[in-house]
Structures are given as structure tokens and as C-alpha cells.
Amino acid sequence: MTKEFWKAALIRALRTIAQTAIATIGTTAFIQDVNWMMVGSASLLSGILSILTSIVTGLPEAEPMPVTAKEEPNKEEPKEEPQETAADGYENKH
């Protein structure tokens, strides 16, 4: 696994930790006082799960982008010829 992979996985895990912390704080504050131990443990667990998921499934943002036909030099796309419509055929014949 490359340096780019670990950087992307860490960024993704930190976002997940922040999202979990915000959701947990919001939920517990609505019901009762904020249980900071629960917020911390749930957030840390979500970060660990995010890293493990990234290892198993991979990260598209850490993989090299494939070259598409539009990016390849000296490769022209075929030009479409204008198609004759029924109205064009009628005008040309009369």
C-alpha cells in the first residue's frame, strides 16, 4: 500500500470520526448530558472501522486514474455525418 493510500485512508477516517462525534454529541445532548466517554469510544471505533474498510475495499482516490480516449494524444474521434431528415428529402425533391 502506497503513501497516497495511507494519506487518503487517514483523511477518510478523520472525516468519519468527526461525523460520528457530531452525531453522538447531538443525540446524547438531546436526550441527556453528553457522555464524553461514549462520544470518544464511538468516534474512535468508527475511525478504526473506516481504516479497515479502506484496506479491504481500497480507495478510488488513492488509485491512479486510467487514461481515457480524450486524454490520449493524436487520437481523433470519428466525426458524425449530418443525417438527412424527411423534411430535407422533401425539400430537395420538389
Side-chain angles (χ1 to χ4, degrees):
M1 294 184 201
T2 66
K3 182 179 177 181
E4 291 81 18
F5 171 85
W6 288 111
K7 182 180 177 182
L10 180 61
I11 290 170
R12 187 175 280 203
L14 290 174
R15 287 180 183 162
T16 302
I17 290 170
Q19 291 168 349
T20 303
I22 291 168
T24 307
I25 291 168
T27 303
T28 58
F30 180 72
I31 298 171
Q32 60 190 7
D33 290 335
V34 176
N35 182 342
W36 292 105
M37 183 64 85
M38 183 183 73
V39 170
S41 63
S43 300
L44 183 61
L45 178 60
S46 69
I48 292 169
L49 292 174
S50 176
I51 294 287
L52 292 174
T53 302
S54 297
I55 290 171
V56 172
T57 62
L59 294 171
E61 61 265 29
E63 296 174 7
M65 297 293 291
V67 176
T68 62
K70 291 184 179 181
E71 295 174 350
E72 292 179 9
N74 300 326
K75 208 171 200 187
E76 294 182 24
E77 292 184 20
K79 295 180 182 178
E80 291 185 26
E81 296 294 326
Q83 296 181 353
E84 185 175 307
T85 63
D88 292 336
Y90 178 78
E91 290 173 2
N92 293 337
K93 292 180 183 177
H94 292 89

